[in-house]
Amino acid sequence: MFGPREELTFASTASAGVTFGRAGVPRRAVPASNLPATVLPASDLPASEPPFSRPEQDWRLSSHPLARRGHAICSAIERQFARHPLVSDLAEDIGSAEWLRGVFTLVVLIVLALAARPAFELPHARSGAWLDEAQQSEWRSLAIKPWQRGAGQGRHFAAGEAVVRLDNVPERPIIELTATLGEDDSLTRMLQRAGVASGDAGQVAALIDRAVPADTIAPGMRFDLTLGHRASPADPRPLQALRFRPRFDLALVIGRTGGGTLALERHPIAVDTAPLRLSGIVGQSLYRTARGAGAPPDTVQTFLQTIDSHLPFEAIDPGDTFDLVVDYKRAADGQGAVGNLLYAGIVRQGHPLVQLLRWGNDGAYATLDDLRGDAAGDGGALLSPVAGAITSGFGMRRHPILGFVRLHAGVDFASSYGAPVYAVAEGAVTFAGWHGGHGNYVRIDHGGGIGTGYGHMSRLAVAPGMAVRRGQVIGYVGSTGLSTGPHLHYEVYRGGQPIDPLSLRSLAPRHQVDPVQLAAFRTRLAQLTALPQGILPRR
């Protein structure tokens, strides 16, 4: 058994501390009963070393003489630094020997740091190299100034010894170019600007004038020219051939005959006028999807306006299918021309939500229900102008904003902001715009002395003079004018005087549709919806 001094010595090995010259990794305390008999006894320890100040050691090396000697040296150094530490708090005991030693240590460390600092020198610019004439010309060709003088972009190498300068450059025997007719321009001036001799330009203008009407040749038309060889560079080139396309199905060619005179030839172009059908999934954007299918921007805009007049965009889901048919011409030479929008539809799970057909001489778009009118069995009944409940009826009431009692000449419908507002019957828009306390307001004349008004809308979808159909979107619910919240103020007038909208249930039928026209509408609709999916050629 060990005495009290030995037990204290081994207990100190459980503490985690860093010692001078030895590993500072904490070691697990070893019970005294598990130690071998060769452990250094307490009697061999230096008498001057306190038990608690003895640093940690590995008991496996304590029996070796070198280990004991090294341990004694490290202990002496640690005791010396414990009595005289290198780091001192310069804020305490100012002027004492300990403080002066700390200042001296700080000064020595600063001097050593300055002595070991890296050297910083300014970089020296490389001296300019002398460039010969060829190199200078090469650098000038890469500068911006040549672009100002008409040079093209890219690297232009200077002429070297392999380049032979020619005093006279031979001209090309023929030149092929394209000329475009400008605004307030004439064929003669255009041809002369292109380099055609004045005599040839006058003959060409006379031939074209006899072949096609003058209004057929619009500004922007392109002419393909072939100019022949000339005797002198100062002379204009003679016209060898000219070709242009005044109509989609006709090309005119002017060329030289055997006698050297100019003659005009007509070249009819076969054209297929079958309509083109484009369809696809709506996705996140109906406009982008239709453009991705190949429809031109003007056609897509017409399609969107047509659909919006009968079906609000909010009612179209990303999984729906858009369907449109356009008037399209395909020429035998590969050219194509898109015409009017003939059909517009939105389909959901195989069932059409709306089908609009271009019908009538005015180019308006109508559904089958629009064309049937009273034949559909509605008896001219007025629709509800908006989806919502009635919150205020017709009659005298205290105005919620003005505060006094006056006639409420309409009915208020509560609805969400931006909800579509529909025309209750077909008619003509007599007013569309700002109307005082009504805010954004639309007035429609339905004939027979009956009119309707729609107020407080956020934005309008019609303009004065437009003809609207029953159920057509004319605007969207808002809170403009004297309004306390989003709602629709709906009015009905008879002979110019306001009446209770709830007292008028229907309007007299304005017209009856010919059964022959109705059958023709159904036949045309079936033909367009049966067309196969087409592909619009990319340009």
Side-chain angles (χ1 to χ4, degrees):
M1 295 297 293
F2 295 98
R5 183 178 180 85
E6 289 83 358
E7 293 180 0
L8 288 175
T9 302
F10 288 113
S12 66
T13 61
S15 62
V18 179
T19 57
F20 178 82
R22 290 162 293 172
V25 181
R27 300 184 184 276
R28 181 174 55 87
V30 181
S33 59
N34 296 333
L35 293 178
T38 56
V39 175
L40 183 66
S43 59
D44 293 339
L45 294 176
S48 59
E49 182 180 359
F52 289 97
S53 65
R54 184 174 180 178
E56 180 185 2
Q57 63 175 334
D58 192 342
W59 57 273
R60 295 182 182 88
L61 299 178
S62 60
S63 60
H64 198 279
L66 293 178
R68 290 196 300 270
R69 182 61 178 171
H71 173 69
I73 294 175
C74 292
S75 298
I77 296 176
E78 290 174 359
R79 288 192 299 270
Q80 183 66 25
F81 279 106
R83 288 193 298 268
H84 304 288
L86 291 177
V87 179
S88 301
D89 189 356
L90 299 182
E92 298 180 358
D93 297 335
I94 300 176
S96 61
E98 189 71 22
W99 183 85
L100 292 177
R101 183 166 50 254
V103 171
F104 176 77
T105 303
L106 177 62
V107 173
V108 171
L109 293 177
I110 292 176
V111 172
L112 293 177
L114 294 177
R117 76 184 187 280
F120 295 97
E121 297 181 0
L122 294 177
H124 297 285
R126 184 179 179 182
S127 58
W130 181 84
L131 302 178
D132 56 14
E133 183 178 357
Q135 293 174 334
Q136 293 178 10
S137 179
E138 169 69 12
W139 283 110
R140 282 195 298 269
S141 66
L142 299 178
I144 300 177
K145 194 171 184 180
W147 293 357
Q148 182 182 0
R149 298 180 178 178
Q153 297 183 4
R155 188 173 185 180
H156 304 275
F157 291 93
E161 298 178 355
V163 178
V164 179
R165 297 185 179 275
L166 300 177
D167 296 333
N168 295 320
V169 180
E171 290 189 334
R172 289 182 292 176
I174 61 172
I175 295 179
E176 296 180 351
L177 53 90
T178 300
T180 304
L181 186 66
E183 293 283 349
D184 300 328
D185 201 359
S186 66
L187 289 174
T188 303
R189 291 195 299 267
M190 180 202 69
L191 294 174
Q192 289 178 353
R193 288 197 306 271
V196 179
S198 59
D200 292 344
Q203 294 182 36
V204 169
L207 291 173
I208 295 176
D209 186 59
R210 291 193 297 266
V212 294
D215 56 355
T216 305
I217 306 175
M221 184 166 292
R222 297 163 60 90
F223 295 80
D224 296 328
L225 306 177
T226 301
L227 305 182
H229 179 69
R230 57 185 176 182
S232 172
D235 298 334
R237 288 180 175 269
L239 179 65
Q240 186 172 341
L242 179 145
R243 179 184 175 89
F244 75 106
R245 193 171 185 167
R247 296 199 311 263
F248 190 75
D249 59 348
L250 177 64
L252 298 181
V253 178
I254 298 177
R256 295 283 179 180
T257 62
T261 59
L262 293 173
L264 184 142
E265 297 179 0
R266 293 173 175 268
H267 293 271
I269 302 174
V271 176
D272 179 15
T273 59
L276 177 67
R277 183 181 184 185
L278 302 173
S279 63
I281 305 299
V282 172
Q284 297 298 325
S285 172
L286 179 56
Y287 177 84
R288 293 176 181 172
T289 307
R291 289 286 291 122
D298 295 341
T299 301
V300 178
Q301 290 291 349
T302 304
F303 175 78
L304 295 178
Q305 293 173 2
T306 304
I307 292 295
D308 186 51
S309 64
H310 286 73
L311 182 68
F313 292 139
E314 294 80 1
I316 302 176
D317 296 335
D320 295 342
T321 301
F322 74 90
D323 194 7
L324 63 90
V325 179
V326 293
D327 193 5
Y328 190 68
K329 296 180 180 179
R330 303 172 183 81
D333 59 355
Q335 297 292 328
V338 178
N340 296 320
L341 177 69
L342 303 179
Y343 168 78
I346 298 294
V347 180
R348 177 176 295 171
Q349 297 179 356
H351 301 284
L353 296 180
V354 62
Q355 289 181 312
L356 291 161
L357 191 64
R358 185 182 176 90
W359 194 257
N361 297 328
D362 57 353
Y365 296 89
T367 64
L368 186 60
D369 293 337
D370 294 335
L371 192 63
R372 287 184 302 192
D374 294 329
D378 58 6
L382 294 174
L383 291 175
S384 175
V386 71
I390 298 177
T391 57
S392 180
F394 180 87
M396 302 299 294
R397 69 164 189 176
R398 181 178 297 277
H399 196 279
I401 296 179
L402 300 179
F404 55 83
V405 178
R406 71 172 186 175
L407 176 65
H408 184 229
V411 173
D412 291 343
F413 289 85
S415 186
S416 59
Y417 190 92
V421 178
Y422 307 98
V424 297
E426 63 178 353
V429 178
T430 59
F431 181 87
W434 189 267
H435 192 259
H438 288 145
N440 289 327
Y441 181 79
V442 172
R443 184 76 174 267
I444 301 177
D445 180 19
H446 302 282
I450 301 297
T452 54
Y454 313 80
H456 304 309
M457 289 187 285
S458 60
R459 60 188 178 98
L460 307 179
V462 294
M466 287 182 56
V468 295
R469 293 174 296 275
R470 178 175 178 267
Q472 179 176 336
V473 177
I474 60 174
Y476 301 91
V477 172
S479 185
T480 56
L482 296 178
S483 172
T484 58
H487 73 284
L488 175 69
H489 176 75
Y490 170 57
E491 301 173 339
V492 175
Y493 294 88
R494 175 181 287 164
Q497 298 299 321
I499 63 174
D500 187 356
L502 302 181
S503 66
L504 188 64
R505 299 298 180 183
S506 64
L507 290 175
R510 298 191 63 179
H511 64 275
Q512 293 290 339
V513 177
D514 187 357
V516 177
Q517 291 290 327
L518 194 62
F521 186 92
R522 289 194 180 99
T523 302
R524 182 60 172 170
L525 183 63
Q527 291 175 351
L528 295 182
T529 54
L531 290 173
Q533 170 71 18
I535 299 176
L536 190 66
R538 298 286 184 179
R539 293 187 179 181

